Amino acid sequence: MKKFILSLMVFLSSAVYADTSTGISKSTATIAAKCYLTTQDIVWGELNLGKANSAPGQVTVKCSRTSAYSIYIHYSYYPTFSHLTGVNKGDTIRYAIKNLQTGVYFESSGAYTEPFTGVGNGLDQTYNMLAYMSDAGYPKPDIYKDTLTVLVNY
């Protein structure tokens, strides 16, 4: 009987210790400046011959917060205006684009106009513009088109 009690006591006095290990994990991220640009087509419709004509347009930019940007419009032909060109007969009609926020007509200094400028806030920022021709003249009946390149630097 003595033997049984002694072995029971040894069993109860044995201790088991758990061990822990810790580590540190760091989390890092990089956010680069980013801008997205959308444009609204300028739709002239039926022109008033021999008179002034205008058509609205918009440029919308969405840039990451605090990102400075400049939006440029490239005129197809000349430093201060562009041309609508007849698809079939080739006549041209001159027009210019006005920044409605500043009231200033875009004028090129080289290939691109003086820009719309701003600072991104993470939301869409829309700039209204007006395409304007002082006199459509009397071009031949045709379908007239032009392509403007809009560029955002950030």
Side-chain angles (χ1 to χ4, degrees), residues 17-109:
Y17 296 100
D19 202 4
T20 8
S21 178
T22 60
I24 297 174
S25 176
K26 293 182 181 179
S27 179
T28 60
T30 301
I31 298 175
K34 188 73 176 170
C35 289
Y36 301 95
L37 182 71
T38 57
T39 60
Q40 173 193 21
D41 289 343
I42 298 168
V43 180
W44 291 93
E46 185 75 24
L47 295 177
N48 295 314
L49 298 179
K51 297 185 179 182
N53 291 268
S54 63
Q58 285 185 335
V59 175
T60 301
V61 66
K62 184 178 196 174
C63 292
S64 48
R65 293 184 336 182
T66 71
S67 298
Y69 62 84
S70 299
I71 301 170
Y72 297 87
I73 297 173
H74 180 260
Y75 285 135
S76 304
Y77 298 101
Y78 295 95
T80 57
F81 57 88
S82 194
H83 279 135
L84 290 168
T85 303
V87 174
N88 299 307
K89 299 177 181 152
D91 278 5
T92 59
I93 306 168
R94 281 176 25 164
Y95 71 96
I97 295 180
K98 183 179 189 177
N99 176 336
L100 291 178
Q101 272 79 355
T102 64
V104 174
Y105 281 93
F106 285 107
E107 291 189 13
S108 283
S109 52

XYZ file of all heavy atoms in Angstrom, residues 17-109:
716
model
N 4.915 22.867 -18.450
C 4.978 24.293 -18.775
C 4.718 24.503 -20.267
O 5.296 23.824 -21.104
C 6.354 24.877 -18.435
C 6.639 24.831 -16.955
C 7.431 23.832 -16.418
C 6.100 25.793 -16.109
C 7.691 23.786 -15.071
C 6.351 25.753 -14.749
C 7.146 24.745 -14.239
O 7.377 24.716 -12.916
N 3.850 25.492 -20.625
C 3.605 25.852 -22.030
C 4.563 26.984 -22.392
O 4.886 27.825 -21.567
C 2.174 26.330 -22.203
N 4.988 27.023 -23.649
C 5.914 28.056 -24.091
C 5.232 28.887 -25.183
O 4.421 28.385 -25.941
C 7.178 27.393 -24.643
C 8.357 28.338 -24.621
O 8.206 29.463 -24.114
O 9.423 27.946 -25.114
N 5.533 30.169 -25.254
C 4.969 31.048 -26.277
C 6.084 31.759 -27.020
O 7.133 32.026 -26.459
C 4.072 32.146 -25.648
O 4.169 32.138 -24.269
C 2.689 32.043 -26.089
N 5.764 32.052 -28.266
C 6.708 32.786 -29.092
C 5.917 33.881 -29.801
O 4.809 33.649 -30.266
C 7.352 31.849 -30.109
O 8.223 32.554 -30.937
N 6.446 35.072 -29.896
C 5.745 36.162 -30.572
C 6.609 36.717 -31.690
O 7.835 36.606 -31.668
C 5.411 37.307 -29.589
O 6.625 37.795 -29.036
C 4.477 36.850 -28.497
N 5.961 37.284 -32.630
C 6.648 37.935 -33.740
C 5.899 39.204 -34.091
O 4.750 39.388 -33.710
N 6.520 40.088 -34.838
C 5.903 41.341 -35.251
C 5.840 41.357 -36.771
O 6.823 41.080 -37.450
C 6.714 42.543 -34.741
C 6.703 42.553 -33.212
C 6.150 43.836 -35.300
C 7.592 43.619 -32.619
N 4.668 41.662 -37.280
C 4.471 41.778 -38.718
C 4.126 43.224 -39.036
O 3.211 43.786 -38.454
C 3.323 40.862 -39.160
O 3.075 41.051 -40.521
N 4.870 43.830 -39.937
C 4.618 45.216 -40.319
C 3.795 45.237 -41.604
O 3.945 44.379 -42.453
C 5.934 45.961 -40.531
C 6.723 46.127 -39.260
C 7.987 46.902 -39.500
C 8.760 47.033 -38.192
N 9.996 47.753 -38.365
N 2.965 46.241 -41.744
C 2.130 46.405 -42.926
C 2.499 47.730 -43.575
O 2.495 48.774 -42.923
C 0.658 46.400 -42.503
O -0.160 46.571 -43.627
N 2.824 47.717 -44.855
C 3.170 48.944 -45.573
C 2.409 48.995 -46.890
O 2.031 47.959 -47.443
C 4.681 49.028 -45.865
O 5.050 47.914 -46.670
C 5.495 49.020 -44.586
N 2.166 50.186 -47.372
C 1.499 50.379 -48.666
C 2.024 51.663 -49.285
O 2.477 52.573 -48.593
C -0.011 50.480 -48.472
N 1.973 51.723 -50.591
C 2.364 52.915 -51.328
C 1.185 53.347 -52.182
O 0.539 52.510 -52.811
C 3.567 52.615 -52.242
O 4.638 52.153 -51.427
C 3.993 53.853 -53.000
N 0.892 54.616 -52.186
C -0.168 55.148 -53.039
C 0.471 56.167 -53.976
O 1.024 57.165 -53.531
C -1.288 55.808 -52.222
C -1.947 54.765 -51.306
C -2.317 56.450 -53.143
C -2.974 55.328 -50.369
N 0.397 55.880 -55.255
C 0.943 56.790 -56.261
C -0.157 57.735 -56.728
O -1.342 57.406 -56.674
C 1.475 55.991 -57.449
N 0.229 58.903 -57.175
C -0.729 59.838 -57.754
C -1.365 59.185 -58.972
O -0.696 58.502 -59.755
C -0.025 61.129 -58.149
N -2.662 59.370 -59.138
C -3.383 58.778 -60.260
C -4.511 59.696 -60.666
O -5.163 60.302 -59.820
C -3.942 57.411 -59.849
C -4.536 56.627 -60.968
C -3.455 56.106 -61.863
C -4.038 55.218 -62.940
N -3.087 54.871 -63.947
N -4.727 59.843 -61.965
C -5.835 60.631 -62.484
C -6.553 59.859 -63.585
O -5.919 59.122 -64.348
C -5.344 61.951 -63.076
S -4.767 63.152 -61.872
N -7.854 60.058 -63.640
C -8.695 59.490 -64.703
C -9.388 60.650 -65.397
O -9.857 61.576 -64.755
C -9.735 58.535 -64.116
C -9.111 57.393 -63.363
C -8.941 57.458 -61.986
C -8.672 56.265 -64.036
C -8.348 56.416 -61.296
C -8.083 55.216 -63.349
C -7.923 55.292 -61.980
O -7.340 54.270 -61.304
N -9.462 60.590 -66.717
C -9.986 61.688 -67.516
C -11.127 61.178 -68.381
O -11.008 60.130 -69.017
C -8.857 62.240 -68.396
C -9.169 63.432 -69.273
C -9.348 64.679 -68.423
C -8.032 63.654 -70.258
N -12.240 61.912 -68.408
C -13.333 61.621 -69.334
C -13.722 62.920 -70.020
O -13.544 64.010 -69.468
C -14.565 61.021 -68.623
O -14.999 61.911 -67.598
C -14.245 59.666 -68.021
N -14.237 62.805 -71.217
C -14.644 63.986 -71.978
C -16.055 63.799 -72.516
O -16.517 62.672 -72.704
C -13.697 64.244 -73.168
O -13.724 63.105 -74.030
C -12.290 64.516 -72.711
N -16.707 64.907 -72.738
C -18.009 64.911 -73.392
C -17.780 65.425 -74.806
O -17.104 66.449 -74.999
C -18.967 65.827 -72.633
C -20.292 66.029 -73.322
C -21.077 67.175 -72.694
O -20.520 68.040 -72.026
N -22.367 67.186 -72.921
N -18.318 64.742 -75.798
C -18.172 65.195 -77.178
C -18.816 66.560 -77.374
O -19.817 66.898 -76.733
C -18.822 64.206 -78.147
C -18.040 62.906 -78.267
O -16.857 62.883 -77.869
O -18.619 61.916 -78.745
N -18.245 67.333 -78.268
C -18.821 68.614 -78.662
C -19.719 68.325 -79.861
O -19.249 67.887 -80.909
C -17.709 69.614 -79.047
C -16.817 69.884 -77.832
C -18.304 70.891 -79.609
C -15.547 70.624 -78.162
N -21.001 68.558 -79.687
C -21.974 68.268 -80.748
C -22.553 69.596 -81.233
O -23.311 70.251 -80.515
C -23.093 67.324 -80.240
C -24.088 67.033 -81.355
C -22.500 66.037 -79.696
N -22.192 69.976 -82.453
C -22.618 71.257 -83.007
C -24.059 71.224 -83.504
O -24.738 72.246 -83.478
C -21.703 71.650 -84.170
C -20.310 71.991 -83.765
C -19.238 71.147 -83.723
C -19.833 73.265 -83.337
N -18.122 71.814 -83.299
C -18.458 73.130 -83.064
C -20.428 74.511 -83.174
C -17.680 74.184 -82.632
C -19.646 75.571 -82.741
C -18.286 75.401 -82.467
N -24.504 70.113 -84.009
C -25.831 70.063 -84.630
C -25.810 70.797 -85.962
O -24.778 70.923 -86.606
N -26.953 71.300 -86.373
C -27.065 72.047 -87.630
C -26.511 73.456 -87.421
O -26.943 74.181 -86.520
C -28.540 72.133 -88.047
C -28.785 72.778 -89.373
C -28.440 71.903 -90.562
O -28.434 70.665 -90.419
O -28.161 72.469 -91.636
N -25.527 73.840 -88.235
C -24.898 75.160 -88.090
C -25.729 76.255 -88.740
O -26.383 76.032 -89.767
C -23.505 75.147 -88.717
C -22.472 74.239 -88.056
C -21.164 74.291 -88.833
C -22.256 74.616 -86.601
N -25.695 77.436 -88.137
C -26.305 78.632 -88.724
C -25.268 79.243 -89.658
O -24.282 79.821 -89.194
C -26.687 79.640 -87.642
C -27.768 79.102 -86.738
O -28.750 78.561 -87.209
N -27.580 79.245 -85.443
N -25.475 79.110 -90.946
C -24.509 79.618 -91.929
C -24.411 81.128 -91.871
O -25.406 81.828 -91.709
C -24.886 79.153 -93.331
C -24.887 77.631 -93.528
C -25.308 77.280 -94.950
C -23.528 77.052 -93.213
N -23.184 81.629 -91.972
C -22.933 83.055 -91.969
C -23.101 83.703 -90.595
O -23.085 84.920 -90.484
N -23.268 82.921 -89.552
C -23.500 83.452 -88.210
C -22.591 82.756 -87.199
O -21.948 81.762 -87.494
C -24.949 83.235 -87.801
C -25.923 83.969 -88.675
C -27.312 83.827 -88.166
C -28.234 84.631 -89.086
N -29.596 84.592 -88.641
N -22.594 83.305 -85.989
C -21.855 82.673 -84.886
C -22.584 81.402 -84.431
O -23.808 81.330 -84.486
C -21.730 83.644 -83.716
N -21.812 80.420 -84.021
C -22.347 79.161 -83.504
C -21.536 78.751 -82.282
O -20.342 79.068 -82.190
C -22.229 78.049 -84.558
C -23.138 78.256 -85.742
O -24.247 77.785 -85.764
N -22.655 79.000 -86.742
N -22.169 78.030 -81.379
C -21.432 77.508 -80.220
C -21.995 76.155 -79.824
O -23.136 75.820 -80.158
C -21.513 78.492 -79.042
O -22.848 78.635 -78.620
N -21.189 75.405 -79.117
C -21.590 74.081 -78.634
C -20.840 73.798 -77.337
O -19.643 74.075 -77.231
C -21.256 73.014 -79.675
N -21.546 73.259 -76.335
C -20.900 72.992 -75.042
C -20.095 71.699 -75.056
O -20.325 70.807 -75.874
C -22.087 72.875 -74.077
C -23.190 72.335 -74.936
C -22.979 72.951 -76.299
N -19.192 71.621 -74.123
C -18.411 70.405 -73.903
C -17.957 70.370 -72.458
O -18.045 71.371 -71.737
N -17.488 69.221 -72.025
C -16.997 69.079 -70.654
C -15.791 68.166 -70.627
O -15.670 67.242 -71.424
C -18.055 68.457 -69.743
C -19.161 69.361 -69.346
C -20.092 68.693 -68.346
O -20.200 67.482 -68.280
N -20.759 69.512 -67.548
N -14.927 68.455 -69.679
C -13.800 67.588 -69.361
C -13.913 67.305 -67.866
O -14.063 68.228 -67.065
C -12.450 68.274 -69.668
C -11.294 67.417 -69.212
C -12.333 68.576 -71.154
N -13.880 66.030 -67.499
C -13.967 65.654 -66.089
C -12.715 64.882 -65.713
O -12.289 63.982 -66.435
C -15.216 64.784 -65.823
O -16.373 65.544 -66.198
C -15.323 64.399 -64.362
N -12.124 65.265 -64.593
C -10.928 64.594 -64.096
C -11.198 64.128 -62.669
O -11.887 64.804 -61.910
C -9.683 65.516 -64.176
C -9.815 66.703 -63.247
C -8.414 64.754 -63.874
N -10.684 62.957 -62.357
C -10.763 62.424 -60.990
C -9.349 62.015 -60.609
O -8.792 61.090 -61.178
C -11.694 61.219 -60.947
C -11.913 60.657 -59.562
C -12.888 59.487 -59.638
C -13.434 59.131 -58.300
N -14.473 58.087 -58.429
N -8.764 62.772 -59.680
C -7.377 62.525 -59.276
C -7.314 62.194 -57.790
O -8.153 62.642 -57.004
C -6.512 63.756 -59.539
S -6.278 64.110 -61.289
N -6.286 61.438 -57.441
C -6.071 61.139 -56.027
C -5.888 62.446 -55.262
O -5.444 63.459 -55.817
C -4.873 60.210 -55.840
O -3.758 60.662 -56.561
N -6.271 62.421 -54.004
C -6.247 63.635 -53.186
C -4.854 64.259 -53.155
O -3.852 63.564 -53.110
C -6.713 63.330 -51.771
C -8.170 62.958 -51.741
C -8.716 62.750 -50.385
N -7.702 62.387 -49.406
C -7.952 62.114 -48.159
N -9.161 62.152 -47.711
N -6.979 61.787 -47.335
N -4.813 65.536 -53.193
C -3.632 66.409 -53.171
C -2.729 66.284 -54.405
O -1.655 66.849 -54.421
C -2.779 66.231 -51.890
O -2.120 64.964 -51.931
C -3.612 66.368 -50.623
N -3.178 65.571 -55.426
C -2.383 65.450 -56.664
C -2.669 66.654 -57.566
O -3.791 66.836 -58.030
C -2.731 64.166 -57.416
O -2.425 63.044 -56.636
N -1.658 67.464 -57.813
C -1.806 68.603 -58.723
C -1.882 68.081 -60.157
O -1.198 67.117 -60.512
C -0.626 69.553 -58.566
N -2.723 68.702 -60.974
C -2.862 68.263 -62.363
C -3.072 69.464 -63.280
O -3.459 70.545 -62.855
C -4.022 67.273 -62.518
C -5.369 67.847 -62.155
C -6.103 68.570 -63.077
C -5.895 67.678 -60.883
C -7.325 69.114 -62.748
C -7.117 68.214 -60.540
C -7.836 68.922 -61.490
O -9.044 69.474 -61.151
N -2.813 69.228 -64.566
C -3.073 70.204 -65.627
C -3.731 69.466 -66.777
O -3.267 68.393 -67.166
C -1.770 70.841 -66.118
O -1.129 71.533 -65.071
N -4.808 70.034 -67.311
C -5.516 69.432 -68.442
C -5.277 70.307 -69.665
O -5.533 71.514 -69.636
C -7.025 69.333 -68.163
C -7.284 68.482 -66.921
C -7.758 68.755 -69.375
C -8.712 68.527 -66.440
N -4.804 69.701 -70.733
C -4.497 70.416 -71.973
C -5.400 69.916 -73.096
O -5.752 68.740 -73.130
C -3.045 70.163 -72.402
C -2.027 70.675 -71.430
C -1.594 69.894 -70.363
C -1.489 71.951 -71.575
C -0.653 70.370 -69.464
C -0.549 72.435 -70.688
C -0.137 71.634 -69.631
O 0.796 72.103 -68.748
N -5.733 70.813 -74.015
C -6.467 70.445 -75.223
C -5.557 70.744 -76.405
O -4.989 71.831 -76.503
C -7.783 71.240 -75.334
C -8.694 70.882 -74.159
C -8.469 70.952 -76.667
C -9.945 71.729 -74.073
N -5.411 69.766 -77.270
C -4.554 69.931 -78.443
C -5.427 70.270 -79.647
O -6.300 69.512 -80.040
C -3.791 68.638 -78.710
C -2.897 68.719 -79.895
N -3.245 68.212 -81.118
C -1.677 69.271 -80.057
C -2.277 68.433 -81.985
N -1.325 69.073 -81.366
N -5.191 71.464 -80.213
C -5.884 71.847 -81.437
C -5.247 71.122 -82.609
O -4.026 71.000 -82.702
C -5.780 73.354 -81.669
C -6.657 74.198 -80.769
C -6.154 75.332 -80.163
C -7.988 73.874 -80.548
C -6.952 76.135 -79.370
C -8.790 74.662 -79.747
C -8.273 75.791 -79.166
O -9.058 76.575 -78.384
N -6.089 70.699 -83.511
C -5.606 69.892 -84.635
C -4.730 70.655 -85.620
O -3.837 70.085 -86.224
C -6.796 69.313 -85.403
O -7.612 68.589 -84.516
N -4.978 71.943 -85.817
C -4.305 72.635 -86.909
C -3.479 73.854 -86.523
O -2.407 74.062 -87.017
C -5.340 73.077 -87.965
C -6.045 71.907 -88.572
C -7.319 71.558 -88.147
C -5.439 71.123 -89.534
C -7.969 70.460 -88.694
C -6.076 70.028 -90.081
C -7.343 69.703 -89.657
O -7.967 68.633 -90.183
N -4.009 74.711 -85.703
C -3.368 75.995 -85.466
C -3.221 76.255 -83.974
O -3.887 75.639 -83.154
C -4.195 77.121 -86.116
C -4.219 77.000 -87.611
C -5.270 76.361 -88.243
C -3.186 77.496 -88.381
C -5.303 76.232 -89.624
C -3.214 77.374 -89.770
C -4.280 76.733 -90.375
O -4.292 76.611 -91.732
N -2.396 77.237 -83.621
C -2.187 77.500 -82.197
C -3.401 78.074 -81.465
O -3.514 77.917 -80.276
C -1.026 78.482 -82.163
C -0.786 78.922 -83.538
C -1.503 78.001 -84.464
N -4.312 78.759 -82.150
C -5.425 79.381 -81.426
C -6.800 78.850 -81.824
O -7.802 79.285 -81.290
C -5.421 80.908 -81.621
O -5.474 81.186 -83.010
C -4.187 81.528 -80.989
N -6.873 77.954 -82.774
C -8.173 77.408 -83.160
C -7.994 76.060 -83.847
O -6.894 75.645 -84.169
C -8.939 78.385 -84.064
C -8.199 78.765 -85.312
C -8.312 78.005 -86.467
C -7.382 79.888 -85.330
C -7.624 78.357 -87.609
C -6.697 80.246 -86.477
C -6.821 79.486 -87.619
N -9.116 75.415 -84.054
C -9.122 74.142 -84.759
C -10.076 74.249 -85.941
O -10.683 75.298 -86.161
C -9.538 73.011 -83.814
O -9.228 71.770 -84.401
N -10.215 73.171 -86.689
C -11.090 73.137 -87.856
C -12.022 71.945 -87.795
O -11.590 70.834 -87.484
C -10.271 72.956 -89.144
C -9.653 74.186 -89.658
N -8.358 74.222 -90.096
C -10.125 75.440 -89.833
C -8.065 75.438 -90.514
N -9.117 76.191 -90.351
N -13.275 72.182 -88.131
C -14.155 71.089 -88.525
C -13.880 70.882 -90.010
O -13.828 71.858 -90.768
C -15.626 71.467 -88.330
C -16.110 71.601 -86.895
C -17.480 72.264 -86.853
C -16.168 70.236 -86.235
N -13.681 69.656 -90.436
C -13.354 69.379 -91.835
C -14.439 68.512 -92.448
O -14.862 67.510 -91.856
C -11.998 68.650 -91.944
O -11.005 69.476 -91.316
C -11.603 68.397 -93.383
N -14.880 68.908 -93.653
C -15.895 68.136 -94.369
C -15.352 66.769 -94.746
O -14.274 66.664 -95.332
N -16.097 65.736 -94.416
C -15.662 64.357 -94.660
C -15.555 64.071 -96.156
O -14.608 63.427 -96.607
C -16.639 63.357 -93.980
C -16.305 61.931 -94.343
C -16.635 63.549 -92.484
N -16.496 64.557 -96.954
C -16.524 64.232 -98.386
C -15.930 65.317 -99.275
O -15.279 65.012 -100.270
C -17.970 63.955 -98.827
C -18.553 62.775 -98.078
O -17.980 61.703 -98.052
N -19.690 63.002 -97.423
N -16.132 66.576 -98.910
C -15.727 67.664 -99.809
C -14.543 68.466 -99.300
O -13.997 69.286 -100.021
C -16.923 68.559 -100.093
C -18.034 67.750 -100.783
C -19.264 68.548 -101.024
C -20.283 67.634 -101.680
N -21.637 67.978 -101.427
N -14.150 68.266 -98.050
C -12.919 68.851 -97.532
C -12.951 70.305 -97.104
O -11.921 70.838 -96.717
N -14.091 70.986 -97.189
C -14.149 72.361 -96.677
C -13.846 72.357 -95.182
O -14.033 71.344 -94.493
C -15.539 72.969 -96.899
C -15.715 73.522 -98.308
O -14.799 73.359 -99.133
O -16.783 74.103 -98.563
N -13.413 73.498 -94.672
C -13.114 73.596 -93.241
C -13.858 74.773 -92.622
O -14.153 75.767 -93.293
C -11.600 73.776 -92.983
O -11.155 74.959 -93.631
C -10.823 72.562 -93.463
N -14.147 74.630 -91.328
C -14.787 75.689 -90.553
C -13.971 75.855 -89.276
O -13.786 74.914 -88.516
C -16.239 75.321 -90.187
C -17.041 74.942 -91.437
C -16.906 76.481 -89.447
C -18.386 74.307 -91.113
N -13.460 77.082 -89.061
C -12.625 77.349 -87.882
C -13.463 77.515 -86.623
O -14.552 78.077 -86.665
C -11.843 78.645 -88.073
C -10.643 78.504 -88.924
C -9.912 79.774 -89.200
N -10.040 80.859 -88.241
C -9.229 81.887 -88.194
N -8.222 81.974 -89.040
N -9.394 82.843 -87.313
N -12.917 77.044 -85.496
C -13.540 77.293 -84.195
C -12.475 77.293 -83.102
O -11.365 76.824 -83.307
C -14.635 76.262 -83.886
C -14.130 74.871 -83.581
C -13.944 74.455 -82.262
C -13.849 73.962 -84.597
C -13.483 73.177 -81.971
C -13.400 72.693 -84.316
C -13.225 72.304 -83.008
O -12.772 71.037 -82.722
N -12.844 77.850 -81.968
C -11.950 77.891 -80.806
C -12.706 77.361 -79.593
O -13.925 77.207 -79.634
C -11.473 79.318 -80.548
N -11.979 77.111 -78.513
C -12.592 76.601 -77.295
C -12.306 77.544 -76.141
O -11.180 77.970 -75.932
C -12.089 75.181 -76.983
C -12.543 74.234 -78.085
C -12.606 74.715 -75.626
C -12.108 72.817 -77.902
N -13.364 77.863 -75.413
C -13.291 78.784 -74.291
C -13.463 78.012 -72.983
O -14.337 77.155 -72.865
C -14.411 79.817 -74.428
C -14.443 80.893 -73.398
C -15.618 81.827 -73.723
C -15.605 83.057 -72.876
N -16.702 83.975 -73.262
N -12.626 78.319 -72.010
C -12.735 77.766 -70.664
C -13.802 78.588 -69.950
O -13.603 79.766 -69.681
C -11.373 77.882 -69.970
C -11.382 77.423 -68.536
O -12.405 77.417 -67.860
N -10.216 77.041 -68.059
N -14.948 77.987 -69.643
C -16.042 78.755 -69.042
C -15.773 79.131 -67.585
O -16.395 80.056 -67.073
C -17.361 77.996 -69.170
C -17.882 77.890 -70.607
C -19.168 77.081 -70.655
C -18.103 79.266 -71.208
N -14.853 78.440 -66.909
C -14.508 78.818 -65.531
C -13.726 80.129 -65.504
O -13.887 80.940 -64.617
C -13.697 77.720 -64.830
C -14.541 76.682 -64.138
C -15.111 75.638 -65.099
O -14.972 75.705 -66.308
N -15.800 74.661 -64.548
N -12.851 80.314 -66.485
C -11.999 81.515 -66.491
C -12.449 82.549 -67.517
O -12.035 83.703 -67.452
C -10.539 81.142 -66.815
O -10.489 80.601 -68.146
C -9.983 80.148 -65.807
N -13.258 82.133 -68.495
C -13.676 83.036 -69.558
C -12.607 83.254 -70.610
O -12.755 84.085 -71.495
N -11.521 82.507 -70.542
C -10.396 82.675 -71.455
C -10.450 81.608 -72.547
O -10.697 80.433 -72.271
C -9.058 82.569 -70.683
C -7.876 82.603 -71.618
C -8.966 83.667 -69.647
N -10.214 82.042 -73.795
C -10.109 81.083 -74.897
C -8.773 80.363 -74.784
O -7.764 80.970 -74.448
C -10.204 81.782 -76.257
C -11.623 82.103 -76.626
C -12.174 83.342 -76.319
C -12.419 81.156 -77.250
C -13.486 83.630 -76.640
C -13.731 81.439 -77.575
C -14.269 82.675 -77.266
O -15.565 82.950 -77.574
N -8.795 79.080 -75.071
C -7.551 78.324 -75.061
C -6.680 78.802 -76.202
O -7.148 78.993 -77.318
C -7.820 76.829 -75.252
C -8.365 76.172 -74.041
C -9.690 75.799 -73.987
C -7.563 75.923 -72.951
C -10.203 75.179 -72.873
C -8.057 75.308 -71.824
C -9.381 74.935 -71.784
N -5.421 79.012 -75.910
C -4.444 79.340 -76.940
C -3.252 78.430 -76.745
O -2.802 78.224 -75.629
C -4.014 80.804 -76.846
C -5.116 81.748 -77.224
C -4.617 83.171 -77.344
O -3.394 83.391 -77.371
O -5.471 84.060 -77.428
N -2.793 77.899 -77.837
C -1.668 76.980 -77.741
C -0.366 77.723 -77.546
O -0.160 78.795 -78.085
C -1.545 76.142 -79.015
O -2.510 75.138 -79.018
N 0.490 77.102 -76.763
C 1.878 77.553 -76.704
C 2.665 76.340 -77.164
O 3.063 75.510 -76.383
C 2.256 77.974 -75.289
O 1.934 76.961 -74.380
